[in-house]
Amino acid sequence: MNTPENRRRVDTPGRYSAPLLKALAVHLAVAILLFASFATAPSFEPARPIVQATLVQLDSMSPATTQTDQKIAGEAQRTAAQRHEAEELERRKQEQQQQEQKQKQQEAQRAAAEQAQKAQEQEQKAAEAAAADAAKAKSEAEAKAKAEAEAQRKAAEVAAAKKREEAERAAEAEAAKKRAEAEAARKKAEEEAKRKAQAEADAKRKAAEAAEAKKRAEADAARKAQEDAKAKALADLLADETQYQQAQADRPGDQVAASYDDVIRRYVSEQWRRPPTARNGMVVEVQLSMLPTGQITDVVVTRSSGDPGFDQSAVQAVRNVGRIPEMQTLSRDNPAAFDRMYRQRLLRFKPEDLAF
């Protein structure tokens, strides 16, 4: 493309060659003038003496002649002096002319040198200006090329960034879709697992409830049968004991006490829990205090079996009984016997007696 910058770049070597030739011609002319001035310089004569003396040989002189000769000598001296002065003036004039000519030549040389120097400076300035123009043009071209390259680079970066952003958005959308699918699958699996676990738990719970209901029913039936047996035995015992007391009112009270002791032992046996250390042959003696209503108010160990565990189990069993209803009948029918035998009563317990 033929732009002004390209034409300037093409014409630059021609513009530099012409000033260079001119500068060389000026330097050559100055050298020739200096050589000619040194070749044409005048040669000066050696200086002559200013005073000249004339010898006159006189064989005989009279006073008048002597005066005349002296006068002539004086005139000659004056004439010689004037001639010498004129010659000196002429010589000085010539020297002055030579000096002025030499000075003019030097001034001409200086002027030529200055002119050549000015021409050289102008050429140098022109060359510098041309170089500056060329550098400026080059700098402008480089700046323009750099700006264009930067614009292209920025456009490429913008396009690449846009492309990356689109790719990232697409990847993010795909990842979000996969995460949503995975989350949905996970939730579905969790819900399925929860339903399955809930169904299993419900089945186990229903089975456990059925087993527990069956066990409770069996336990209730057994407890009811046991309570019925206890009630029947107690009714029989009370009936037998009432008949026995009525029929044997005059017998000693130890038989009555033995029967009530059996009642107390039966109640205690129901509440007793055999400790691991209990062994057959152990005997513990406790004293319990009761009210006429049959309420047990206190229990203490009066003689230990030697095993604290068995002693404490007997005391705890008596306390757990709480109240013996049969004692209320004894205290109502025979208050004296109750006060004498069961207001405070010593009982002896063995593991084999308590374990039904």
Side-chain angles (χ1 to χ4, degrees), residues 3 59 111 181 191 201:
T3 59
D59 292 336
E181 292 175 355
E191 291 176 357

Side-chain angles (χ1 to χ4, degrees), residues 234-253:
L234 181 61
D236 294 341
L237 178 64
L238 290 176
D240 293 342
E241 187 161 336
T242 301
Q243 294 174 1
Y244 178 78
Q245 287 178 358
Q246 291 177 355
Q248 304 293 335
D250 55 348
R251 289 189 177 184

Side-chain angles (χ1 to χ4, degrees), residues 19-295:
L20 181 60
L21 292 175
K22 290 180 181 180
L24 292 175
V26 171
H27 282 81
L28 183 59
V30 171
I32 292 170
L33 289 174
L34 289 174
F35 180 78
S37 64
F38 288 131
T40 58
S43 60
F44 298 98
E45 296 179 356
R48 292 179 295 176
I50 298 175
V51 179
Q52 293 182 356
T54 303
L55 296 176
V56 179
Q57 185 177 0
L58 298 175
D59 292 336
S60 60
M61 294 181 185
S62 61
T65 302
T66 303
Q67 291 178 356
T68 301
D69 293 337
Q70 290 177 352
K71 186 176 179 180
I72 293 169
E75 289 293 335
Q77 288 178 357
R78 281 195 299 272
T79 301
Q82 289 176 359
R83 189 173 61 252
H84 179 70
E85 184 176 357
E87 291 175 355
E88 183 67 23
L89 289 173
E90 184 67 23
R91 187 184 61 79
R92 289 182 179 177
K93 186 177 180 180
Q94 290 178 359
E95 288 179 356
Q96 186 176 1
Q97 289 178 355
Q98 290 176 358
Q99 288 179 358
E100 289 177 357
Q101 186 179 4
K102 186 177 180 181
Q103 186 175 1
K104 287 180 181 180
Q105 290 177 356
Q106 291 177 354
E107 289 177 357
Q109 291 174 0
R110 283 198 300 272
E114 289 176 358
Q115 188 176 2
Q117 186 176 0
K118 287 180 180 179
Q120 184 179 2
E121 290 177 354
Q122 290 177 357
E123 292 296 333
Q124 185 176 359
K125 287 181 180 179
E128 290 177 354
D133 292 340
K136 184 177 180 182
K138 184 179 179 181
S139 177
E140 290 177 354
E142 290 178 352
K144 185 177 180 181
K146 186 176 180 180
E148 292 177 355
E150 184 67 18
Q152 292 177 358
R153 184 184 63 80
K154 287 184 179 179
E157 287 180 354
V158 170
K162 187 176 180 181
K163 189 174 181 181
R164 284 197 304 271
E165 186 177 356
E166 291 176 355
E168 288 176 357
R169 283 200 296 267
E172 183 65 23
E174 186 66 22
K177 183 179 179 182
K178 289 182 178 179
R179 285 196 298 269
E181 292 175 355
E183 184 68 17
R186 185 183 63 80
K187 287 182 178 179
K188 184 176 181 181
E190 287 180 355
E191 291 176 357
E192 186 66 23
K194 285 181 180 179
R195 284 196 297 270
K196 187 176 181 181
Q198 186 66 29
E200 292 178 355
D202 291 341
K204 289 180 180 180
R205 179 176 56 79
K206 289 179 180 179
E209 288 177 354
E212 185 67 21
K214 183 178 179 182
K215 186 184 292 185
R216 283 198 302 270
E218 292 175 353
D220 292 340
R223 186 172 62 254
K224 186 176 181 181
Q226 186 177 4
E227 288 177 355
D228 292 342
K230 286 182 180 179
K232 185 175 183 302
L234 181 61
D236 294 341
L237 178 64
L238 290 176
D240 293 342
E241 187 161 336
T242 301
Q243 294 174 1
Y244 178 78
Q245 287 178 358
Q246 291 177 355
Q248 304 293 335
D250 55 348
R251 289 189 177 184
D254 55 351
Q255 294 181 359
V256 176
S259 62
Y260 279 101
D261 287 345
D262 292 338
V263 172
I264 294 171
R265 188 175 291 104
R266 180 170 56 81
Y267 275 100
V268 173
S269 298
E270 292 176 356
Q271 300 295 330
W272 184 66
R273 298 294 179 268
R274 186 183 185 93
T277 57
R279 299 289 185 273
N280 292 338
M282 292 181 178
V283 178
V284 60
E285 187 177 281
V286 299
Q287 179 179 332
L288 65 156
S289 301
M290 283 190 296
L291 297 176
T293 59
Q295 183 71 35

Side-chain angles (χ1 to χ4, degrees), residues 311-326:
D311 295 348
Q312 185 62 29
S313 67
V315 172
Q316 190 64 37
V318 174
R319 287 178 178 174
N320 290 339
V321 170
R323 181 174 175 272
I324 302 175
E326 291 81 357

